[in-house]
Amino acid sequence: MTLAKARPRTRIQKKNRAAILEAALEVFSTHGFRGATVDQIASEAGLSKPNLLYYFPSKEAIHSALLERLLDTWLDPLRAIDPQGEPLEEVLAYVRRKLEMSQSLPRESRLFAMEVIQGAPRIHDVLSSDLKQLVDETAALLEDWMAQGRIARVHPHHLIFSIWSLTQHYADFDVQVRAVLGREDPFAAAPAFLETLYRRLLTP
Amino acid sequence: MTLAKARPRTRIQKKNRAAILEAALEVFSTHGFRGATVDQIASEAGLSKPNLLYYFPSKEAIHSALLERLLDTWLDPLRAIDPQGEPLEEVLAYVRRKLEMSQSLPRESRLFAMEVIQGAPRIHDVLSSDLKQLVDETAALLEDWMAQGRIARVHPHHLIFSIWSLTQHYADFDVQVRAVLGREDPFAAAPAFLETLYRRLLTP
DNA sequence: AAACGATTTGACCAAACGGTCAAACTGACG
DNA sequence: CGTCAGTTTGACCGTTTGGTCAAATCGTTT
């Protein structure tokens, strides 16, 4: 009997589906969708290929499941901005959270980056609906704060883009950053640099 | 007779090699190395597959040729920083040049991004030798300027990373940026935003 | 127009790919 | 211990892929 989209029930299913997603994250994030092979994912997960395809109907399905699970966690920090909080501190806290995610979830960042660079064929709709809405709301909040003179006036959308860009850069371009820095750990100085940057940019 | 690595001599070779590289840039930058097929590149270049492989010995060779040609143009703006110039204006001009490159050469940016995200397997050596040296020199120059109090003191390497990150974001994540912005053109507000950002960050 | 290198192509190949299937195995429960 | 749903696998299939090759065509020079 096939599993379809039903939630995993048994202990074995839970374990194997988790192992597959973990393996797929590793492989997809380093080789891209077409660069990854089902055999590779299966062997990384400690399963045979037919066995893997017993849990997920196709390579596509694994990738989709991965992206779906990712999108939520990825946008959580944005949702966590508190409209009642102190504006500058809220933004700085958001930057800090995003940077921590780049450090602790670099593979997720790279998976997302590769998908978007390739034109986001599988998540374009989510970007222009859910993501856009969330960003627009946050941008409106930022504009309120700017209108009240509590942070300096800059283009709110581009402010958000800059935070995504600067924080995810440390995950996506990790190899380049490390190649240039030599022995120095990127994440040693990054938090202070970004705090300085956004403090100077946004202090009224 | 095969062509080996010799420079193209005839008119036809010049034209076809150029067409192949142009087509390969288009295909590689949207599908990644393994996602691109030789047939795809050939048809995009208006050639048959065997004919394409008459000009380049392998898919790998096309990709390498592209990256090699790219690396120079990519780093030119960094080399163009004038040690004798006015510090803040030099940095702002560098930001402007990099942003213009993201706008006029987005495919090159994406090709480079995908290579680095996947661990830079083909250019890792160049990154940790040539690139590192160039960046270290620029960082030293920036530190001089900071020591002289002509720009504010921040981590020079991370300053350079931030410029790469912020400018290339508009090319690499173009789809996402446009999805969020709706009808608004990203490159309308980006230059002013980045100028404000770096002016506030670096004004002593 | 003859001759010769440069260019182009259809046919082909071996390997790798995503996916299928019937058959075998496993383990929890009555 | 028998049973049966749940799990695993070896063998297999059709397609796609990067690449080869001999033969055909083209273009230029004499």
Side-chain angles (χ1 to χ4, degrees):
Chain A
M1 179 206 176
T2 50
L3 297 177
K5 297 174 187 175
R7 294 277 95 207
R9 301 161 196 284
T10 77
R11 172 178 45 91
I12 297 181
Q13 281 191 33
K14 237 177 187 146
K15 193 191 67 178
N16 281 347
R17 283 184 66 103
I20 290 170
L21 287 177
E22 157 67 23
L25 175 60
E26 182 71 26
V27 177
F28 280 136
S29 68
T30 55
H31 298 294
F33 179 76
R34 294 205 43 193
T37 73
V38 177
D39 274 305
Q40 223 176 332
I41 299 173
S43 109
E44 182 99 8
L47 300 175
S48 66
K49 181 167 64 169
N51 198 11
L52 178 146
L53 290 166
Y54 169 74
Y55 291 99
F56 288 88
S58 70
K59 182 183 173 184
E60 269 277 349
I62 308 176
H63 194 252
S64 295
L66 220 45
L67 277 180
E68 200 174 319
R69 206 188 54 167
L70 170 57
L71 264 170
D72 271 334
T73 34
W74 213 240
L75 296 179
D76 273 345
L78 194 54
R79 282 187 272 260
I81 294 180
D82 180 10
Q84 311 302 327
E86 159 62 26
L88 182 56
E89 292 308 320
E90 285 298 321
V91 174
L92 290 178
Y94 175 56
V95 172
R96 228 175 290 125
R97 279 195 297 272
K98 281 292 284 177
L99 187 60
E100 272 161 19
M101 283 186 56
S102 277
Q103 188 168 15
S104 59
L105 306 173
R107 298 174 306 174
E108 283 82 349
S109 184
R110 283 193 283 268
L111 181 73
F112 190 80
M114 299 206 43
E115 170 71 10
V116 175
I117 289 178
Q118 295 183 14
R122 303 158 216 279
I123 59 169
H124 194 273
D125 288 350
V126 191
L127 295 187
S128 46
S129 59
D130 297 21
L131 176 65
K132 176 171 169 47
Q133 196 195 329
L134 181 56
V135 171
D136 283 344
E137 287 169 14
T138 310
L141 172 63
L142 290 168
E143 269 184 273
D144 278 351
W145 286 342
M146 291 172 194
Q148 296 166 18
R150 303 173 73 187
I151 53 175
R153 193 175 281 283
V154 294
H155 193 304
H157 285 92
H158 286 264
L159 172 58
I160 294 170
F161 294 152
S162 77
I163 297 174
W164 290 349
S165 159
L166 287 172
T167 54
Q168 288 171 196
H169 187 80
Y170 290 101
D172 303 343
F173 290 77
D174 181 76
V175 206
Q176 180 177 254
V177 168
R178 288 184 191 275
V180 168
L181 280 184
R183 306 200 173 286
E184 185 183 339
D185 175 24
F187 291 99
F193 174 80
L194 292 186
E195 170 157 351
T196 303
L197 189 151
Y198 283 106
R199 237 180 233 293
R200 295 209 184 139
L201 175 64
L202 294 179
T203 297
Chain B
M1 180 204 176
T2 50
L3 297 178
K5 297 174 188 174
R7 292 277 95 208
R9 301 162 196 282
T10 76
R11 174 176 43 93
I12 296 181
Q13 281 191 33
K14 236 177 187 149
K15 192 191 68 178
N16 280 347
R17 282 184 68 102
I20 291 169
L21 287 177
E22 157 67 24
L25 175 60
E26 181 69 28
V27 177
F28 279 137
S29 68
T30 55
H31 298 294
F33 179 76
R34 292 201 50 189
T37 74
V38 178
D39 273 306
Q40 223 176 330
I41 299 172
S43 107
E44 183 99 6
L47 301 174
S48 68
K49 181 168 65 170
N51 198 11
L52 179 146
L53 289 166
Y54 169 73
Y55 290 98
F56 287 88
S58 69
K59 182 182 173 184
E60 269 277 347
I62 308 176
H63 194 252
S64 294
L66 262 184
L67 278 180
E68 200 175 319
R69 205 188 55 166
L70 171 57
L71 263 170
D72 271 333
T73 36
W74 213 240
L75 296 179
D76 274 343
L78 193 54
R79 282 187 274 258
I81 294 180
D82 180 11
Q84 310 303 325
E86 158 63 27
L88 182 56
E89 292 307 320
E90 285 298 320
V91 174
L92 290 178
Y94 175 56
V95 172
R96 228 175 291 125
R97 280 194 298 272
K98 282 292 284 176
L99 187 59
E100 272 160 20
M101 284 187 54
S102 277
Q103 188 168 15
S104 59
L105 306 173
R107 297 173 307 174
E108 282 82 348
S109 184
R110 284 193 281 266
L111 180 73
F112 189 80
M114 298 206 44
E115 170 70 9
V116 174
I117 290 178
Q118 296 183 12
R122 303 156 215 279
I123 58 169
H124 194 273
D125 288 350
V126 191
L127 295 187
S128 47
S129 60
D130 299 18
L131 176 65
K132 175 172 169 47
Q133 196 196 328
L134 180 57
V135 171
D136 282 345
E137 287 168 15
T138 310
L141 172 62
L142 290 169
E143 270 184 274
D144 279 350
W145 286 343
M146 291 172 194
Q148 297 166 17
R150 303 173 73 189
I151 52 175
R153 193 176 281 285
V154 295
H155 193 304
H157 285 92
H158 286 264
L159 173 57
I160 294 170
F161 294 152
S162 77
I163 297 175
W164 291 349
S165 158
L166 287 172
T167 55
Q168 289 171 197
H169 186 79
Y170 290 101
D172 304 342
F173 291 77
D174 181 75
V175 205
Q176 180 178 253
V177 169
R178 288 183 191 275
V180 168
L181 280 185
R183 306 198 172 284
E184 187 181 338
D185 175 24
F187 290 99
F193 175 79
L194 291 187
E195 170 158 352
T196 302
L197 189 151
Y198 282 107
R199 239 180 231 293
R200 295 210 182 137
L201 174 63
L202 293 179
T203 298

